[in-house]
């Protein structure tokens, strides 16, 4: 009997943003304590291979919204890539 095939995890497409857009995003996320926007910032940093910054934003999203699975997933991937 062969082992079941495990699908590879879906990594969201990196959010392609300019540095100015990213700065605006993190400012708004902080002002609003917006976990979804913090997660989006995390993926934007992840897409730039800035895994430490990505992890920081995923972690911040989890502080604001502890049950946010996408942020937990992003944090784990960021730590793995660091």
């Amino acid at each position: 009997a062969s082992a079941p095939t495990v699908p590879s995890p879906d990594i969201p497409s990196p959010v392609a943003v300019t540095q100015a857009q990213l700065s605006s995003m993190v400012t708004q996320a902080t002002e609003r304590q917006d976990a979804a926007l913090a997660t989006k910032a995390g993926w934007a940093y992840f897409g730039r291979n800035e895994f430490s910054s990505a992890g920081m934003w995923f972690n911040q999203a989890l502080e604001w919204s502890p049950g946010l699975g996408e942020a937990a997933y992003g944090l784990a991937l960021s730590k793995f890539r660091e």
Side-chain angles (χ1 to χ4, degrees):
S2 62
T5 303
V6 178
S8 61
D10 292 325
I11 298 174
S13 300
V15 183
V17 295
T18 65
Q19 186 61 46
Q21 289 171 318
L22 186 53
S23 295
S24 176
M25 189 185 302
V26 299
T27 298
Q28 289 177 28
T30 302
E31 287 173 355
R32 301 178 192 165
Q33 294 193 357
D34 185 331
L37 198 53
T39 301
K40 189 173 178 180
W43 287 124
Y45 279 113
F46 191 91
R48 292 167 172 244
N49 295 328
E50 294 181 33
F51 302 117
S52 180
S53 294
M56 183 186 77
W57 281 101
F58 290 130
N59 191 58
Q60 183 62 72
L62 288 167
E63 285 184 23
W64 291 331
S65 182
L68 193 58
E70 185 181 350
Y73 179 58
L75 180 58
L77 284 178
S78 297
K79 292 299 180 189
F80 181 73
R81 298 275 177 96
E82 272 183 5

